[in-house]
Amino acid sequence: MARAVEFRSILDKLFRRRTHWLRSIPGGRNPGAPPKFGRREREQAIKKLQGIASASLATKLAKAKFSDAAAEKKSWQVKGRGDKARKARFSEWFEKHVSYRSFIYVFWKRGKCIYVGKTRNGVGRPSEHFEKKWFNGITRIDLYGLRGRRSLPALECLAIHRFQPLKNKNRAQTAKWTKRCPLCKIHKFIASELRSIFALR
């Protein structure tokens, strides 16, 4: 509820800024210097509104989509000292407990999400990250096995929106044959609408 109120408040402030002079016409008074309104202010508002949309919808959308597409969830508590030992233990655990080769993986450092990724080829891709400096301190890896490959990019993107990993630089890539991230569609709609409503020369 609070986020919905904040969302509407930002829209209202943006509209009042844009119509400052226009609203003064019936009174016949000099409205004074108009509030600053330009591309920068509009784009800042877009980012804020997109952030509120993510905070409001990411968990709900991710749960719904993962419920539809994910066949299983497995968690591995990181064990072993050194890259080789961890890779060996992870591979052994993976072959014993994970039946899917296409999945989303999420790295956790206690309660903080560090990285989200995807793979179509099984154990190899997640274990590549074991050699990175930021992997030290990772305590758990969650794997979401998927029934098909088409949902991979969208689900990876939703997981990034939901968990806000510290080490992901970009959102998930998409291809023409993949299913699109529903939250990114909402972000695009917000940006398109505001740029259309508050068009600038």
Side-chain angles (χ1 to χ4, degrees), residues 55-129:
S56 301
L57 301 173
T59 298
K60 182 179 179 180
L61 288 172
K63 284 183 176 179
K65 293 297 180 181
F66 271 80
S67 178
D68 290 341
E72 64 178 13
K73 178 187 174 183
K74 300 287 184 180
S75 296
W76 182 65
Q77 303 298 323
V78 176
K79 298 177 181 178
R81 292 186 178 181
D83 301 339
K84 290 184 179 180
R86 288 170 182 160
K87 284 184 178 182
R89 289 202 176 194
F90 178 68
S91 181
E92 181 182 348
W93 171 84
F94 185 94
E95 294 302 325
K96 186 181 293 186
H97 297 283
V98 181
S99 56
Y100 287 81
R101 290 296 180 266
S102 295
F103 54 86
I104 303 296
Y105 53 90
V106 186
F107 290 178
W108 295 91
K109 184 177 182 178
R110 298 180 180 84
K112 291 184 179 180
C113 181
I114 305 300
Y115 189 82
V116 171
K118 68 179 184 297
T119 182
R120 301 182 180 90
N121 301 312
V123 68
R125 180 61 180 162
S127 61
E128 288 179 6
H129 300 292

Side-chain angles (χ1 to χ4, degrees), residues 9-29:
S9 175
I10 292 172
L11 282 176
D12 290 342
K13 286 179 181 178
L14 200 62
F15 186 74
R16 286 196 296 271
R17 274 192 172 199
R18 187 70 165 124
T19 60
H20 176 77
W21 275 81
L22 190 61
R23 286 183 291 109
S24 70
I25 291 175
R29 296 179 180 179

Side-chain angles (χ1 to χ4, degrees), residues 2-197:
R3 289 188 181 119
V5 172
E6 185 183 4
F7 193 94
R8 289 193 291 268
S9 175
I10 292 172
L11 282 176
D12 290 342
K13 286 179 181 178
L14 200 62
F15 186 74
R16 286 196 296 271
R17 274 192 172 199
R18 187 70 165 124
T19 60
H20 176 77
W21 275 81
L22 190 61
R23 286 183 291 109
S24 70
I25 291 175
R29 296 179 180 179
N30 187 337
K36 188 176 181 181
F37 184 89
R39 201 173 306 276
R40 181 182 177 184
E41 287 70 31
R42 184 188 66 186
E43 296 306 307
Q44 285 178 341
I46 288 172
K47 285 185 178 180
K48 286 181 181 178
L49 292 172
Q50 288 174 334
I52 294 170
S54 290
S56 301
L57 301 173
T59 298
K60 182 179 179 180
L61 288 172
K63 284 183 176 179
K65 293 297 180 181
F66 271 80
S67 178
D68 290 341
E72 64 178 13
K73 178 187 174 183
K74 300 287 184 180
S75 296
W76 182 65
Q77 303 298 323
V78 176
K79 298 177 181 178
R81 292 186 178 181
D83 301 339
K84 290 184 179 180
R86 288 170 182 160
K87 284 184 178 182
R89 289 202 176 194
F90 178 68
S91 181
E92 181 182 348
W93 171 84
F94 185 94
E95 294 302 325
K96 186 181 293 186
H97 297 283
V98 181
S99 56
Y100 287 81
R101 290 296 180 266
S102 295
F103 54 86
I104 303 296
Y105 53 90
V106 186
F107 290 178
W108 295 91
K109 184 177 182 178
R110 298 180 180 84
K112 291 184 179 180
C113 181
I114 305 300
Y115 189 82
V116 171
K118 68 179 184 297
T119 182
R120 301 182 180 90
N121 301 312
V123 68
R125 180 61 180 162
S127 61
E128 288 179 6
H129 300 292
F130 289 15
E131 299 175 4
K132 295 180 179 177
K133 289 182 179 179
W134 55 256
F135 187 83
N136 289 326
I138 296 297
T139 55
R140 188 181 87 244
I141 301 175
D142 289 340
L143 303 180
Y144 296 86
L146 307 181
R147 298 183 184 91
R149 296 182 175 186
R150 291 188 65 213
S151 299
L152 268 172
L155 291 177
E156 180 192 21
C157 198
L158 273 173
I160 292 170
H161 285 301
R162 180 184 181 186
F163 299 127
Q164 295 294 300
L166 298 177
K167 294 298 180 179
N168 284 77
K169 294 181 180 179
N170 302 307
R171 71 176 182 85
Q173 295 181 349
T174 55
K176 291 183 179 179
W177 54 270
T178 61
K179 294 182 179 180
R180 300 291 175 148
C181 170
L183 192 48
C184 282
K185 285 183 179 180
I186 293 171
H187 280 199
K188 186 176 181 180
F189 175 75
I190 290 171
S192 176
E193 285 294 292
L194 288 186
R195 287 169 186 155
S196 175
I197 294 169

